[in-house]
Amino acid sequence: MPRSMTGFARSEQQYPWGSISWELRSVNHRYLEPNFRLPEAHRGLEPNLREQIRNKLSRGKLDISLNIQLGSSENNQIGLNQELIEQLISANQQLQGLGDFSPLDPLELLKWPGVIIEDRVDGEQLKQDALSQFGQTIDQLIDSRNREGEELANMIEQRLQGISEQVTLVRGLMPQILKAQRDKLLERLSDLKADLDADRVEQEIVILAQKADVDEELDRLDTHVTEVRRTLKQKGAIGRRLDFLMQELNREANTLSSKSIVTDTTAAAVELKVLIEQMREQIQNIE
């Protein structure tokens, strides 16, 4: 089944050190264009994220958001750098022996850089957790795009069936149309009461039939319909090929319209163009 370029995925997961939340949105685009909204401290993830995206997606504009919340355990307590505190107290005592210096304020002591030991999250572990979860979120996005792609394929198949019905209709009408045109020409010539060469009359009838003949266009329409169906069953990015096939289908519909000599074939050509345009609009969303 084809894959749509439109999709959405969100994942949130808890870890011993906190939580990670990823949100991915994608829409149609000619190329693959990811846009990242990452916390400043985690901009370094971007090259790895781009690699994962390239390995799994081919086209689409992606908006990617990351939210990281650092937590702490219930038993977590403020840690103190005992060695540094002792050094600072000793230095303060030496200063007091040299002159009139006030005792060291404990609150001021806590403001000294390095006195309070914060529980730091393992940066490498956070990175691995974020990348692993991002891969899972991309898979969710792909599932979303696959589901919409299946709907698009069903819609396209309905239009392809409509094209085949119009081709069958025109093919069935052509013998009657050509006979009617031949009879009409002979009737006009008879009304003129002109003494015309029979061979010349037959030549004119043949020329008229050739100009109105649309067998080649109908055959090519059938061929393109078959190719669209075959392409829809292929794996990978097929959107550009389907778009090309829409151009070919439209070309044959235009030729059929230009060769039309009765309202029935004109109406069929118009219906073909409508069906092709409906497919083309939806194919813009296929990866």
Side-chain angles (χ1 to χ4, degrees):
M1 283 295 177
R3 180 187 295 171
S4 171
M5 285 186 280
T6 302
F8 173 81
R10 188 180 189 279
S11 69
E12 184 171 354
Q13 192 166 336
Q14 299 292 326
Y15 298 90
W17 50 263
S19 67
I20 292 177
S21 174
W22 284 106
E23 187 171 291
L24 280 66
R25 300 174 184 270
S26 69
V27 294
N28 60 315
H29 197 271
R30 291 184 63 188
Y31 308 105
L32 182 61
E33 183 180 307
N35 297 310
F36 297 95
R37 290 197 292 271
L38 307 177
E40 194 62 37
H42 303 286
R43 286 288 181 185
L45 292 172
E46 188 170 322
N48 300 91
L49 300 177
R50 287 185 180 276
E51 182 179 0
Q52 286 199 48
I53 292 170
R54 284 195 300 267
N55 290 337
K56 294 187 176 183
L57 301 174
S58 300
R59 295 175 65 198
K61 182 177 181 180
L62 278 72
D63 289 325
I64 302 158
S65 300
L66 169 63
N67 183 37
I68 295 178
Q69 295 291 335
L70 300 180
S72 59
S73 65
E74 295 179 357
N75 299 324
N76 191 35
Q77 298 179 352
I78 295 176
L80 300 177
N81 188 335
Q82 192 66 36
E83 182 179 352
L84 177 58
I85 291 173
E86 292 175 356
Q87 293 176 4
L88 291 172
I89 292 175
S90 175
N92 181 260
Q93 290 174 347
Q94 293 179 31
L95 288 173
Q96 289 182 8
L98 297 176
D100 186 15
F101 289 93
S102 61
L104 188 62
D105 184 346
L107 293 179
E108 292 296 324
L109 181 63
L110 291 176
K111 295 179 182 179
W112 191 272
V115 168
I116 295 179
I117 302 176
E118 298 179 355
D119 286 343
R120 297 186 178 275
V121 177
D122 185 339
E124 186 60 30
Q125 184 61 53
L126 188 153
K127 176 181 177 180
Q128 294 304 318
D129 291 340
L131 292 176
S132 176
Q133 186 179 333
F134 180 72
Q136 298 170 16
T137 313
I138 287 185
D139 290 340
Q140 293 178 24
L141 179 70
I142 291 174
D143 289 341
S144 172
R145 288 166 59 144
N146 284 339
R147 287 192 297 271
E148 182 162 333
E150 185 175 357
E151 294 297 324
L152 292 176
N154 292 335
M155 188 282 297
I156 292 171
E157 176 57 37
Q158 293 173 8
R159 272 59 180 182
L160 292 175
Q161 182 62 34
I163 291 175
S164 296
E165 290 172 359
Q166 292 300 317
V167 169
T168 300
L169 174 65
V170 174
R171 207 185 291 276
L173 289 174
M174 285 312 298
Q176 303 173 31
I177 292 173
L178 293 177
K179 182 179 183 304
Q181 290 298 310
R182 182 179 188 279
D183 294 343
K184 187 175 182 179
L185 177 61
L186 290 175
E187 183 179 350
R188 288 181 178 178
L189 292 175
S190 176
D191 291 342
L192 291 174
K193 301 184 184 304
D195 186 14
L196 299 175
D197 180 68
D199 291 338
R200 179 60 184 273
V201 171
E202 287 300 323
Q203 288 178 6
E204 291 299 324
I205 292 173
V206 170
I207 293 173
L208 177 64
Q210 288 176 343
K211 289 181 178 180
D213 183 26
V214 292
D215 279 346
E216 287 188 18
E217 286 74 18
L218 297 178
D219 288 342
R220 283 195 288 266
L221 283 168
D222 280 337
T223 299
H224 295 328
V225 167
T226 300
E227 182 61 20
V228 171
R229 287 184 170 133
R230 188 188 71 83
T231 302
L232 286 172
K233 296 178 181 179
Q234 293 180 343
K235 295 182 179 180
I238 59 174
R240 289 191 177 94
R241 178 163 183 78
L242 288 173
D243 191 56
F244 168 75
L245 289 170
M246 293 304 105
Q247 296 177 37
E248 295 301 303
L249 282 167
N250 198 57
R251 189 195 313 276
E252 303 307 329
N254 285 332
T255 305
L256 180 64
S257 178
S258 67
K259 287 187 174 183
S260 177
I261 55 177
V262 294
T263 56
D264 289 336
T265 53
T266 300
V270 170
E271 180 63 18
L272 286 172
K273 291 180 181 180
V274 171
L275 293 169
I276 294 166
E277 180 60 21
Q278 289 175 346
M279 286 193 296
R280 191 195 66 79
E281 290 177 356
Q282 296 303 323
I283 282 170
Q284 303 308 308
N285 292 320
I286 293 180
E287 183 177 351

